[in-house]
């Protein structure tokens, strides 16, 4: 059996009589040709279930008789496990998630067809090594015809540098990129217990030509309805550079326009406006201390149980784990902790708190900070601007996860709001308490 990257990669080889598995190409499967993407589409729920079991078991893996989750609990109750890339399962941040699905699919096919030999053609080095580990575990002969060459040498060189080189460079880049926002003092928060607070993203800003008001399309008409009731609104915008808002100065300009053109009861701030150099220094200090203490967790591979799929999946996700312990992801998590702690302390008790729920790592810091100050009625808006889909892994957990009140409270708000029947159906399929779901 030959495993090739795609259909075009076999043109220079005489493989007409060979059984083929394509890693990337979408093709109709037949007796001699199998497309992993096509196979995954057909068996998606089964493969997703196996992957979610792996993530849950990984978090429960014991190192020196202690679960790795418990090594990541900080003094303020925040658990960095829920802020890790492994727990988050985000396709945009973890480039190898879909490859994990392919590895699970490949192993299922190999076992079903009782394949005894695999030849690799034009796959990248990492994928090749993962399949090699899989073959070793299943006593399958392994051979390499050709490995795909990595032509991006500069990016590859930077990628291989130790974190103690790359993280300081990324911190300096962050400070220089957001210098103007950090220096700009935030507007005073509306001091009213009847206020409503939004945690949003700063993108897709539009202007109503009739009223001349700016609005955020991802929230639909929710803010307008609240404005009619003259309820005070506090807005906290998460700014990430994008094609529409490519600089700090433009982000600050938009915030200024939002404050000028919004009703008097609305107040807009950027999250990074709550940073100062003392909090940044504190985040750096906590990051360094954590990275030193987390060194023992880098050897977790020796403690992973010898179960099917686990060894190859761990190798595919190892980089995500190390980024969450020692890389930029880890440092950024400590920044979010400081930001949300500061906001939660100065924010009076709110009538309702809403945020765009994607189950990203920073959301755990937000929830823990708000709840530590007694805030209730926290509502996550799932799939805002779109629908929640079955392949959105960040909305799914292993079924055992939902039996733990601690796990659920660490990752979920008090209520989950959805914008369609299809989204509601998907969220209900996750085994979350249906009383939490509102439409």
């Amino acid at each position: 059996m030959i495993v090739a990257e795609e259909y075009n990669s076999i043109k220079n080889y005489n493989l007409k009589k060979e059984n083929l598995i394509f890693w990337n190409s979408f093709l109709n499967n037949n007796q001699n040709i199998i497309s992993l993407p096509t196979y995954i589409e057909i068996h998606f729920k089964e493969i997703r279930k196996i992957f979610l079991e792996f993530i849950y078991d990984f978090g429960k893996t014991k190192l020196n008789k202690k679960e790795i989750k418990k090594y990541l609990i900080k003094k303020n109750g925040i658990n960095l496990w829920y802020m890790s890339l492994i727990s988050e399962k985000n396709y945009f941040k973890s480039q190898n998630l879909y490859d994990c699905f392919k590895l699970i699919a490949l192993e299922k096919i190999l076992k079903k067809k009782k394949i005894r030999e695999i030849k690799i053609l034009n796959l990248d080095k990492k994928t090749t090594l993962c399949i090699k580990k899989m073959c070793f575990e299943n006593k399958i002969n392994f051979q390499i015809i050709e490995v795909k060459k990595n032509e991006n040498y500069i990016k590859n060189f930077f990628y291989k540098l130790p974190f103690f080189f790359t993280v300081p460079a990324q911190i300096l880049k962050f400070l220089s990129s957001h210098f103007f926002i950090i220096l700009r003092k935030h507007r005073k928060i509306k001091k009213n217990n009847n206020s409503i607070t939004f945690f949003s993203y700063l993108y897709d800003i539009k202007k109503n030509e009739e009223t001349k008001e700016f609005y955020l399309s991802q929230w639909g008409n929710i803010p307008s309805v609240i404005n009619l009731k003259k309820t005070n609104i506090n807005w906290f915008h998460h700014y990430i550079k994008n094609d529409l808002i490519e600089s700090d100065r433009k982000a600050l300009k938009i915030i200024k326009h939002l404050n000028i053109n919004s009703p008097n009861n609305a107040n807009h701030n950027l999250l990074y406006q709550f940073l100062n150099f003392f909090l940044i220094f504190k985040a750096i200090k906590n990051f360094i201390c954590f990275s030193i203490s987390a060194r023992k967790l880098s050897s977790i591979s020796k403690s992973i149980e010898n179960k099917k799929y686990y060894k190859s999946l761990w190798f595919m996700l190892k980089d995500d784990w190390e980024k969450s312990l020692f890389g930029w992801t880890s440092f950024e998590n400590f920044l979010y902790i400081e930001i949300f702690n500061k906001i939660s302390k100065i924010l009076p008790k709110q009538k309702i708190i809403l945020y765009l729920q994607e189950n990203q790592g920073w959301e755990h810091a937000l929830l823990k900070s708000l709840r530590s100050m007694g805030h209730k009625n926290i509502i996550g808006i799932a799939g805002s601007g779109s629908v929640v889909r079955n392949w959105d892994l960040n909305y799914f957990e292993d079924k055992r996860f939902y039996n733990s009140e601690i796990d659920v409270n660490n990752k979920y708000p008090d209520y989950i709001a959805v914008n369609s029947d299809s989204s509601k159906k998907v969220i209900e399929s996750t085994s979350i308490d249906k009383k939490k779901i509102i439409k």
Side-chain angles (χ1 to χ4, degrees):
M1 178 72 77
I2 291 178
V3 181
E5 181 190 25
E6 55 188 12
Y7 184 76
N8 291 334
S9 63
I10 68 170
K11 288 183 177 180
N12 296 329
Y13 299 88
N14 185 18
L15 303 174
K16 292 182 179 179
K17 296 182 179 180
E18 297 277 1
N19 291 321
L20 297 167
I21 295 178
F22 290 110
W23 191 259
N24 289 330
S25 295
F26 269 97
L27 298 168
N28 292 324
N29 293 341
N30 58 45
Q31 189 172 357
N32 298 319
I33 295 177
I34 297 175
S35 160
L36 288 182
T38 303
Y39 184 93
I40 290 169
E41 276 202 345
I42 297 170
H43 304 278
F44 182 80
K45 288 188 177 180
E46 180 185 357
I47 294 172
R48 184 187 65 191
K49 179 176 179 292
I50 293 169
F51 180 74
L52 294 175
E53 287 174 356
F54 164 75
I55 296 297
Y56 182 85
D57 288 340
F58 182 87
K60 301 287 282 186
T61 299
K62 291 186 177 181
L63 186 64
N64 298 326
K65 299 181 180 181
K66 184 178 179 181
E67 291 180 5
I68 60 172
K69 267 188 190 180
K70 294 181 180 178
Y71 279 105
L72 300 176
I73 299 175
K74 310 318 295 174
K75 289 181 181 179
N76 54 6
I78 286 177
N79 191 328
L80 295 172
W81 163 256
Y82 302 100
M83 300 182 77
S84 70
L85 295 175
I86 301 288
S87 175
E88 189 173 330
K89 307 181 295 297
N90 189 311
Y91 288 112
F92 297 103
K93 296 181 182 179
S94 300
Q95 298 178 354
N96 297 122
L97 280 184
Y98 193 55
D99 287 328
C100 289
F101 276 42
K102 292 175 184 177
L103 286 172
I104 294 170
L106 177 62
E107 186 160 350
K108 290 179 70 65
I109 292 166
L110 297 179
K111 287 183 176 180
K112 184 177 181 180
K113 291 185 172 289
K114 298 180 179 180
I115 302 298
R116 304 316 314 160
E117 183 180 46
I118 275 186
K119 297 176 183 178
I120 301 298
L121 176 59
N122 209 33
L123 294 181
D124 63 75
K125 187 177 179 180
K126 186 173 186 176
T127 303
T128 300
L129 289 174
C130 287
I131 296 175
K132 184 178 180 180
K133 285 180 177 290
M134 180 193 297
C135 290
F136 179 78
E137 292 295 320
N138 290 282
K139 298 180 181 179
I140 298 173
N141 294 328
F142 179 83
Q143 182 182 341
I144 299 174
I145 300 174
E146 185 179 346
V147 175
K148 186 177 182 180
K149 295 179 181 179
N150 189 345
E151 296 180 355
N152 196 334
Y153 298 108
I154 296 176
K155 185 178 180 180
N156 196 40
F157 172 76
F158 184 81
Y159 182 76
K160 289 183 177 180
L161 285 173
F163 288 121
F164 61 79
F165 283 121
T166 59
V167 175
Q170 289 170 306
I171 292 174
L172 290 174
K173 182 182 177 182
F174 169 82
L175 292 175
S176 62
S177 298
H178 299 298
F179 183 74
F180 292 104
I181 292 179
I182 295 169
L183 285 183
R184 185 69 61 89
K185 191 175 181 180
H186 62 81
R187 286 167 62 96
K188 288 185 178 180
I189 291 173
K190 298 285 185 180
K191 300 288 186 178
N192 188 316
N193 289 344
N194 198 38
S195 300
I196 293 176
T197 290
F198 287 83
F199 288 89
S200 183
Y201 286 97
L202 191 68
Y203 70 90
D204 201 16
I205 307 294
K206 295 182 179 179
K207 187 176 182 180
N208 188 318
E209 294 302 327
E210 292 183 5
T211 63
K212 305 300 180 184
E213 290 182 10
F214 287 87
Y215 65 95
L216 298 103
S217 59
Q218 66 263 35
W219 288 98
N221 65 345
I222 295 175
S224 299
V225 173
I226 296 172
N227 284 333
L228 291 174
K229 297 183 179 182
K230 303 298 180 183
T231 302
N232 287 335
I233 305 176
N234 288 302
W235 286 91
F236 300 97
H237 299 281
H238 190 177
Y239 167 56
I240 300 173
K241 286 188 178 181
N242 55 75
D243 293 336
L244 295 175
I245 311 171
E246 71 280 358
S247 69
D248 272 23
R249 292 186 177 185
K250 190 167 184 179
L252 288 168
K253 186 177 179 180
I254 288 173
I255 289 295
K256 183 179 179 180
H257 279 298
L258 285 170
N259 281 317
I260 291 172
N261 293 284
S262 296
N264 292 330
N265 59 314
N267 191 22
H268 295 265
N269 283 298
L270 294 170
L271 287 182
Y272 291 152
Q273 287 182 269
F274 292 86
L275 276 177
N276 54 47
F277 289 102
F278 171 75
L279 292 181
I280 293 170
F281 176 78
K282 188 178 177 182
I284 292 173
K285 177 187 172 184
N286 290 337
F287 163 70
I288 293 172
C289 292
F290 170 73
S291 296
I292 293 171
S293 66
R295 288 177 63 185
K296 55 181 171 288
L297 296 179
S298 61
S299 61
I300 191 67
S301 57
K302 298 176 183 177
S303 303
I304 293 178
E305 298 176 60
N306 187 19
K307 296 181 180 179
K308 60 181 180 178
Y309 310 113
Y310 280 27
K311 292 289 178 67
S312 56
L313 291 181
W314 158 247
F315 192 79
M316 187 64 81
L317 294 175
K318 185 178 179 181
D319 288 342
D320 284 346
W321 179 238
E322 292 182 347
K323 288 175 186 176
S324 301
L325 297 180
F326 315 110
W328 172 253
T329 299
S330 179
F331 173 71
E332 192 176 38
N333 287 339
F334 284 102
L335 275 181
Y336 287 133
I337 290 169
E338 297 303 328
I339 291 170
F340 292 127
N341 278 344
K342 182 175 180 180
I343 292 174
S344 298
K345 287 177 181 178
I346 61 178
L347 187 69
K349 295 290 190 301
Q350 300 290 282
K351 187 176 181 180
I352 297 174
I353 297 176
L354 301 101
Y355 72 96
L356 298 175
Q357 183 190 358
E358 296 175 336
N359 293 327
Q360 295 198 50
W362 64 264
E363 295 173 29
H364 169 68
L366 172 66
L367 291 172
K368 293 297 286 187
S369 297
L370 290 172
R371 285 169 173 160
S372 70
M373 300 305 295
H375 290 286
K376 298 179 180 179
N377 292 325
I378 305 171
I379 302 175
I381 311 296
S384 177
S386 61
V387 295
V388 180
R389 302 160 298 184
N390 279 308
W391 54 85
D392 289 330
L393 286 179
N394 44 314
Y395 288 103
F396 289 87
E397 301 290 343
D398 180 74
K399 62 182 181 180
R400 292 168 291 177
F401 174 95
Y402 300 100
N403 295 327
S404 168
E405 188 177 346
I406 293 174
D407 280 335
V408 171
N409 287 337
N410 272 315
K411 202 153 189 177
Y412 284 93
D414 300 323
Y415 302 98
I416 302 169
V418 293
N419 59 2
S420 66
D421 290 330
S422 59
S423 293
K424 185 179 180 182
K425 186 177 180 180
V426 172
I427 296 295
E428 286 178 341
S429 72
T430 65
S431 300
I432 190 72
D433 184 358
K434 291 180 176 57
K435 293 178 181 178
K436 280 181 170 284
I437 305 171
I438 55 178
K439 178 174 178 285

